[in-house]
Structure formats: structure tokens, C-alpha cells
Amino acid sequence: MGIEAKAAPPAGLERNLTFMDKLHARLSTMRAQATGFVSQPEPRTIGSYAKGKQLAAGNFQFGGHLVQAEGRSLWAITPPDAMYEAELHGFTWLDDLASVGDRASRLMAQQWVHEWIALYGRGRGLGWSPDLTGRRLIRWINHALFLMNGQTPETNDLYYKSLAHQTAYLGRRWSVASRGLPRFEALTGLLYASLSLGGMERYATPSTNALARECADQIDADGGIPTRNPEELLEVFTLLTWAAAALSEAGRTPLPAHLDAIQRIAPTLRALRHADGGLARFHGGGRGLEGRLDHALAASGVKASHLEGLAMGYARLTGGRTTVIADVSAPPALNASRAAHASTLAFELTSGRRALIVNCGSGAPFGAEWRRAGRATPSHSTLCIDGVSSAKLTAHPQGEFLTSGPKKVTEHRKATEDATELVASHDSYCGEYGLTHVRKMEISLDGRRVTGEDTLAALSDPDRVRFEAHMDKISLQGVPYSVRFHLHPEVDASLDMGGTAVSLALKSGEVWVFMPSHSAKMTIEPSVYLEKGRLKPRASKQIVLSSRVMEYASQVSWSLAKAQDTPSYLRDVDEGLELALN
């Protein structure tokens, strides 16, 4: 039996697909039967003990919402929105209860799983989509012993029947999952189930072949994915390492395309990790779950290696204990840009174990308005003309995609005796203003000094004509622009040297001093730090340099210098942790 991939559905079929998913979910109950586990499942997913205790106490935090319902089932609550509901049906919360592992959390997990079977098991609810079903199957199989311990044979029989039902559904529907992470989740869930459950073996070879094809199609030669989301790349990498381990344990060899993808992704992820162990937060991605990256890299068996060139379109600069990661490529293409940000030439900076310069992050967990705000250029540490983003959000039946982004992005790096230099540019503002943004950054070898220059310039004769035409429209007032540096919430910023500099104190005891050129007005303004798992955005600050383009070129220079280091005993601890990470 072969399984062939199908094209992603047109936007107008979204409602019909929901109907078809439920129809196939009901049809899959026919003749779907699992005889038991072929071998004892081993938990692979990592949960949070703290979140598990919160669940046990009746504090249900999903999709940026907190519902307090002590003594009630999480299925007895009306979901505040679709994101909350999707997190419930994906069952990643099962990892958290399993991490607690006591009798009370086990009984709670067992009750909620069997309530789901009773309420939604025959094709009802939001959970019958290929990606959520794959995510759910992985958790149910990972924690099978936790869920079956102490249960009656009749209850466990219902559990087996539901596993078989969901596996048969995935065998029918995995190919309609969106390309990228959703399809990898669907296929990994199907492969997991086919290798773990007696009676489901018929799906093993087709899902193995399909997973290898997706690796060849979706993982590029440099180990990147079309969305350019570092956290999503980590999730894909984790799924591939789990699938490879499951195949090996079942006596099967993962296909070459599958293993090659793991080999390509590992060095890319290492290059996208800051000195503090967290991933760079670009294009909708966060830092990654604590410990997930280290665990996945260790499980992959891929040895650390130096990555030449860009990592999925990002440039990494290092000096001493300081890392800079900058977005120096065009945004994802239209079909992959549903969660992408207008972040071209934005950067993040981490000193040791402390983040200093950041991007605001993804506002998706906090609603549509925060989602749009987080995607805009002013929410990133880069230059922005007159509040206009370097790419536009365009509404579409399947979401808001990025359009009108830069057509040409350049990047060049070189090393000198005492520093590493990056020069990058993009032409997104050429069409309207005739101006190209050029960003030059340099980090010293000891990591104690980072300097930068942001230039807006009309580089060609046609660009000068556009610039002059725009100047005529605004009565020669000049083109206003700002260069923003968003600070991590734990950075204490204060004006210094009579308002000509900003002192940035980190929790580690380090103090950095930010100084701009005299050509720009400097202010400290409110900002936000958006991160998953919190109920609301965290307040933070940003340094804003403001100026105007009056001629064919305007430049703002700035520098970050370490004025006070971390106390030696804390630095020794930090350096030990960094060595362990790398």
C-alpha cells in the first residue's frame, strides 16, 4: 500500500476540509484495531514539573489564557479561543502531568484522556486535524505506561481502540496537512504508531518513505526550512530524531534523506543559539523549551561543527562571551510567511548567560492585535522609516501573509586582526523613498565592544529621482526614520553622561554603555517582551535613535561597550555552562 503526498488545499476549501477531516475520522473507526504495544514505549517528550503542578491545582493556562477551575475537568470549560482549544487537543500538557508523575497527576491524566475519547473520539471537536492528531498520538504512546497503569482491561481496550482509530485517520489524512511542521507532526505520529502498535504495521513503510520525501523537499541544503523560524526548525529536528530513534529500535534503518536532513539541521541550530542557550527569536519563533535543544542535539549524535556562511539566512557574530545573530536575508516566501515578521537586518545580542538586545517576539498568544504588532518592523531591533514596515501584511482567507518585502538583500562578512565585521543591506524602501538601508556591525574579538552604523542612501540615479519626488511631496521636511534597540526586560536602562549615553545593567552584574552619534536624537521609550507561557506581555524598554534624511544619504552611528564585567565567581559558572552547551 502506497501513500502519496497531495497538494495543499486551496484556501476556499478550508471549511470543506474540516468536514472531510471529521468524515474520515468517523470512517476510520471501521476495522481499525490495535492488538497492543509491540514493545514497551519510552517517554521522549520533555514536560514542565511546574506546569504539571499548576494543572493539578486547576490552573489551566493555554494560548495566553488562564482559566482557574479547581476540581473541574479541562474538557468541562468553554475554550476562550481556537488557540486555547488547539493546545488542549494536541495533548502536550500530558508531558507536564507525566513530569510530576505522582498518583494524583496520573489519575488526572487517565481521566482526561478517557473523557476525550468519550467526548471527541468519534470525530468531534477541533482535534481532528492531521497535525494535532500526530501531536496527540506521540504523547499518548510516549506516556502509555503512565496512562495504562492501574486501569481495568476494559478501559485499556478503549485506549487501544482510540489509538488504532487515530492511526487509521492519519493514514488517510496526513497528506492534507500543511507543508512544514504540521506535516512532519502528522507523519511522525503515524510512523510512531505504526512501529509501536500491533496491527498497525501496514503504515510503517509508507510513512517512512513519505517522511524521507518531506525531508528532501522541505529541508534545504543548508539545513533550513522555508519559514525561517528557528524554533520551528528545532521542533522539526526533534521530530526527526524521535522518528529515527523509533525506526532504529524497531530494527529498521532510517532512509538516507531522513538521516541527511538531521545531519544538515544540527549545525544550523547550533549557529542559531545564543550564548545563553536560547534560540534567536525571529519569524514567530521563541527561545525554545528549556532543555529541548540540548536533548535533541545529544539524541541526534551529530558532532558539533563550524557552519560556514549563513544559517537559514542569519549571520552569527561572536567575540568572547558575546553573540550577535542578525537576520540578513529576505523574509520567507508568500506561502511560508503566515507567521513571518518584517525583521530584515534586525539583530539580537546576548552577553554570556544574559540577553541584552532582543526583538519583541511573537504576539500570537496574546491575540490578533498583538500578533500584528509583533510582526511589524518597529518591534525589531533595526531601522524603520516613518513607522513603515519593511514588508506589508496582506489579508488572505488562510491568514495574513507578508508581501512587498525587500527584493534584494546583500550580506558580507570579514574578519580582521581584532574584530569581525558584517555589512548588510536591503532595498525594501527603494520603491517609495528611493532609499536603501545599509547596516554595518563590528564585534571585537574579546566581545567587549560592538559598534554599528545604519545608513539610508539613494544609491542610483533612479533612486535619487524617487527620493527627490518624495521630498517634494513632503515639502522638503526630510524623511523621518528611527533605529530601535529593544532591551530584555531584565536589563536596567538609565540615561548617563548628561543624557548622551545609556547605562545598561544586567542581573549578572555586567554594565554596558550605549552611545550614539551626535547626528541622532536619543530617547528611552517603553517596549514589550512577548513570550509564550505568559498571560500578558512583559514590560521592557527600548533605545530609540531618531533622525531625518535631508540629502541623498544619512547615517547614524552607535556603540555598545562593556564598562563593568560579571563578578569572577559568577563568570566562572557562566563559562562552565557555555562550555557544556557548545
Side-chain angles (χ1 to χ4, degrees), residues 236-443:
V236 170
F237 182 70
T238 301
L239 291 170
L240 294 180
T241 57
W242 288 346
L247 284 165
S248 298
E249 290 165 5
R252 294 170 174 259
T253 302
L255 294 178
H258 183 168
L259 295 176
D260 289 347
I262 292 174
Q263 291 283 339
R264 296 196 303 275
I265 294 173
T268 298
L269 282 173
R270 287 190 171 100
L272 295 175
R273 180 173 60 180
H274 282 292
D276 65 350
L279 288 168
R281 302 182 344 134
F282 284 97
H283 292 298
R287 288 173 46 84
L289 290 175
E290 194 73 28
R292 173 68 65 83
L293 178 54
D294 295 326
H295 188 270
L297 288 171
S300 73
V302 181
K303 295 182 180 179
S305 60
H306 179 68
L307 183 69
E308 298 291 342
L310 301 181
M312 202 165 67
Y314 301 96
R316 174 188 174 92
L317 307 177
T318 60
R321 301 168 60 245
T322 304
T323 57
V324 171
I325 298 178
D327 181 357
V328 292
S329 294
L334 178 63
N335 292 336
S337 69
R338 189 179 302 177
H341 291 200
S343 59
T344 309
L345 301 198
F347 79 100
E348 293 189 324
L349 185 152
T350 296
S351 176
R353 303 285 296 171
R354 301 289 174 176
L356 179 58
I357 306 295
V358 297
N359 296 309
C360 290
S362 172
F366 308 104
E369 290 187 9
W370 276 114
R371 176 186 172 90
R372 294 187 192 99
R375 300 176 71 183
T377 299
S379 294
H380 298 81
S381 293
T382 187
L383 179 146
C384 180
I385 291 183
D386 202 16
V388 177
S389 290
S390 59
K392 297 178 182 178
L393 288 179
T394 301
H396 190 275
Q398 287 186 314
E400 290 182 316
F401 295 86
L402 281 190
T403 60
S404 304
K407 295 180 176 62
K408 182 180 180 181
V409 182
T410 67
E411 172 269 340
H412 176 72
R413 278 176 291 176
K414 71 175 182 179
T416 62
E417 290 184 358
D418 56 358
T420 304
E421 180 184 278
L422 167 71
V423 179
S425 70
H426 78 78
D427 63 354
S428 180
Y429 295 119
C430 279
E432 182 174 355
Y433 301 95
L435 296 170
T436 295
H437 176 203
V438 181
R439 166 162 274 183
K440 178 182 177 182
M441 296 180 65
E442 186 176 278
I443 181 170

Side-chain angles (χ1 to χ4, degrees), residues 54-61 66-78 84 108 112:
Q54 287 178 356
L55 283 169
N59 296 318
F60 306 143
Q61 184 177 335
L66 175 63
V67 178
Q68 295 177 310
E70 185 176 358
R72 296 177 64 191
S73 167
L74 51 76
W75 305 115
I77 297 162
T78 302
Y84 182 103
M108 186 173 288
W112 289 349

Side-chain angles (χ1 to χ4, degrees), residues 478-526:
V479 178
Y481 67 96
S482 300
V483 185
R484 300 174 185 273
F485 303 84
H486 294 274
L487 306 176
H488 190 273
E490 294 180 356
V491 176
D492 184 17
S494 59
L495 287 172
D496 205 350
M497 301 181 188
T500 61
V502 181
S503 291
L504 305 171
L506 310 185
K507 294 290 185 181
S508 62
E510 284 184 9
V511 176
W512 288 72
V513 175
F514 178 93
M515 295 188 67
S517 61
H518 297 299
S519 60
K521 175 186 176 184
M522 182 174 66
T523 55
I524 299 178
E525 300 179 8

Side-chain angles (χ1 to χ4, degrees), residues 22 29 122 125 142 153 156 181 228 300 362 390 392 440 448 473 479 482 536 559 568:
K22 293 182 178 180
T29 60
R122 295 188 64 83
N142 274 349
N156 283 335
L181 179 58
R228 299 190 58 229
S300 73
S362 172
S390 59
K392 297 178 182 178
K440 178 182 177 182
R448 299 181 65 88
K473 287 192 296 184
V479 178
S482 300
K536 58 183 180 180
S559 66
S568 60

Side-chain angles (χ1 to χ4, degrees), residues 1-39:
M1 179 179 64
I3 304 180
E4 294 300 327
K6 301 174 184 176
L13 294 182
E14 188 172 1
R15 182 174 299 177
N16 289 336
L17 272 182
T18 302
F19 169 77
M20 292 300 294
D21 280 326
K22 293 182 178 180
L23 174 63
H24 281 282
R26 290 164 188 159
L27 291 174
S28 298
T29 60
M30 302 175 185
R31 299 193 306 171
Q33 186 174 358
T35 58
F37 284 104
V38 176
S39 60

